[in-house]
Amino acid sequence: EAQVVQSGGGLVQAGGSLKLSCVAHGFDFDRYSIGWFRQAPGKEREGVAYINTHDGSTLYPESAKGRFTISSDSAKNTVYLQMDSLRPEDTAMYYCVADPNYSGKYFLQNHKFLQLWGQGSLVTVSS
């Protein structure tokens, strides 16, 4: 019943921007941490953004800080990932993830324990 549904992937040239959306269904939006992970073939899965939907606090790894921005809209049960200054190395499948237990760095570092995963959005950055 509970799920997150993504949209917004696509193809963009290096230096361009994309915005991903993640809509929560069937659970209390403000009781969950929500974030974004990405994975490319042969590479480790990595967290790129986290948000506490209750107080708005965010967390980014160095690879995303300054280029990626996560935000939430409680009225729409939606989280966004704005990606600017995209690079070819950003090419990956991006996943929206929601979890009621983990937060902050523990959320980004323990993906195997996270409960609700979106279907994935392919982001391709061409050079």
Side-chain angles (χ1 to χ4, degrees), residues 48-71:
V48 296
Y50 157 87
I51 188 165
N52 181 320
T53 55
H54 182 67
D55 64 16
S57 61
T58 59
L59 182 66
Y60 307 91
E62 288 299 319
S63 62
K65 188 164 58 178
R67 300 189 301 121
F68 292 8
T69 304
I70 187 170
S71 61

Side-chain angles (χ1 to χ4, degrees), residues 8 26 37 39 41-43 62 75 86-87 89 92 94 96 116 122:
F37 287 75
Q39 188 166 25
K43 296 183 179 180
E62 288 299 319
L86 284 164
R87 307 162 181 167
E89 53 263 43
Y94 284 72
C96 176
L116 298 176
L122 181 61

Side-chain angles (χ1 to χ4, degrees), residues 104-126:
K105 66 178 182 179
Y106 298 100
F107 181 98
L108 291 175
Q109 296 174 354
N110 292 278
H111 63 87
K112 293 182 179 180
F113 295 94
L114 306 181
Q115 293 185 12
L116 298 176
W117 289 76
Q119 79 277 19
S121 299
L122 181 61
V123 173
T124 303
V125 184
S126 65

Side-chain angles (χ1 to χ4, degrees), residues 88-104:
E89 53 263 43
D90 294 318
T91 296
M93 188 72 73
Y94 284 72
Y95 297 93
C96 176
V97 188
D99 189 87
N101 299 313
Y102 291 85
S103 63

Side-chain angles (χ1 to χ4, degrees), residues 2-5 22-29 32 34 76-79 96 98 116:
Q3 62 179 347
V4 289
V5 180
C22 175
V23 182
H25 300 272
F27 63 94
D28 191 337
F29 185 80
Y32 280 66
I34 303 181
K76 297 182 178 180
N77 286 345
T78 301
V79 168
C96 176
L116 298 176

